[in-house]
Amino acid sequence: MEAPVADDRLLHQRVVGGEETALGEVYDRFAPLVFGLAVRITRDRMISEDITQEVFVAFWERPLAFDPARGTLRAWLATIAHRRAVDHVRAQERRKASVLGPRLLEPEPERLEDQVLSRQEADGVRLAVGKLPDHLREVIELAYYRGRTYRQVADELGLPEGTAKSRIRLGLRRLADALAEEGT
């Protein structure tokens, strides 16, 4: 067990000295741990990738924050990853609470003319969606009428996530153009 501790100290000294290859070695050695821990906490691979990057950037920018006398580099990186992942989950919960908070209040009744205008706009949007090419209409209907996330759209349609996102963006762009032409 002494070899990993000695390796940690040597790697740490090299990172403190600004050696980029040392950071690469630290990343190769500990990224699976950091990423896995972040995924377990956030349950979101993309967020976990961001957290993993943040952990290693923080180590690169402030390598002296790690004190080899107080523990292993593995434990320190895992602690930083854990804290950042928990912070993300807590922030997400706060955002959800702030979004749901106003919904608890009873809305003012809508004026009749506003209801008519809203209905006309909704009809115009439905017509514009119906005119989209099938591959765009399908993703827009899933995302906006059925409330699916782009990941769920990708899963349901058997598409890569990037393709689902691109189609949603393109569909929205075409809808906006069509609605602007109609004056809606």
Side-chain angles (χ1 to χ4, degrees):
M1 189 77 182
E2 194 58 31
V5 173
D7 288 346
D8 285 356
R9 288 190 175 138
L10 179 60
L11 277 173
H12 179 244
Q13 289 171 356
R14 290 172 53 207
V15 172
V16 168
E19 190 177 325
E20 289 182 19
T21 57
L23 180 63
E25 290 175 40
V26 170
Y27 183 87
D28 291 343
R29 192 163 153 196
F30 298 110
L33 165 75
V34 170
F35 178 76
L37 184 59
V39 167
R40 273 196 305 275
I41 294 168
T42 65
R43 300 185 190 278
D44 185 316
R45 294 182 68 81
M46 287 181 53
I47 296 299
S48 298
E49 289 171 3
D50 290 343
I51 290 169
T52 300
Q53 181 179 357
E54 289 172 15
V55 168
F56 289 99
V57 167
F59 179 58
W60 176 250
E61 291 176 345
R62 297 185 56 232
L64 294 174
F66 167 65
D67 181 3
R70 296 184 66 195
T72 66
L73 184 55
R74 174 185 174 86
W76 185 78
L77 290 170
T79 300
I80 300 302
H82 182 270
R83 287 179 184 162
R84 288 183 186 245
V86 167
D87 287 346
H88 172 78
V89 169
R90 287 179 179 157
Q92 200 172 28
E93 289 173 354
R94 281 192 302 274
R95 279 192 297 275
K96 283 181 187 175
S98 69
V99 168
L100 293 177
R103 290 183 185 172
L104 298 176
L105 301 174
E106 191 172 315
E108 289 183 29
E110 200 173 3
R111 296 185 343 213
L112 181 59
E113 64 187 58
D114 290 338
Q115 289 176 359
V116 170
L117 285 173
S118 294
R119 182 68 182 171
Q120 287 174 340
E121 287 175 356
D123 290 343
V125 170
R126 275 191 207 90
L127 284 171
V129 168
K131 293 177 184 176
L132 288 172
D134 291 343
H135 70 284
L136 298 178
R137 185 181 65 246
E138 195 172 33
V139 296
I140 294 297
E141 287 175 346
L142 286 172
Y144 290 93
Y145 292 124
R146 296 190 186 154
R148 306 293 199 276
T149 65
Y150 75 91
R151 287 189 181 121
Q152 291 169 330
V153 169
D155 285 343
E156 285 187 38
L157 299 177
L159 299 171
E161 289 180 1
T163 301
K165 271 204 269 192
S166 296
R167 286 185 183 178
I168 291 169
R169 283 190 201 117
L170 180 58
L172 290 174
R173 194 172 312 123
R174 290 213 183 148
L175 275 177
D177 292 344
L179 293 171
E181 284 178 17
E182 293 175 11
T184 303

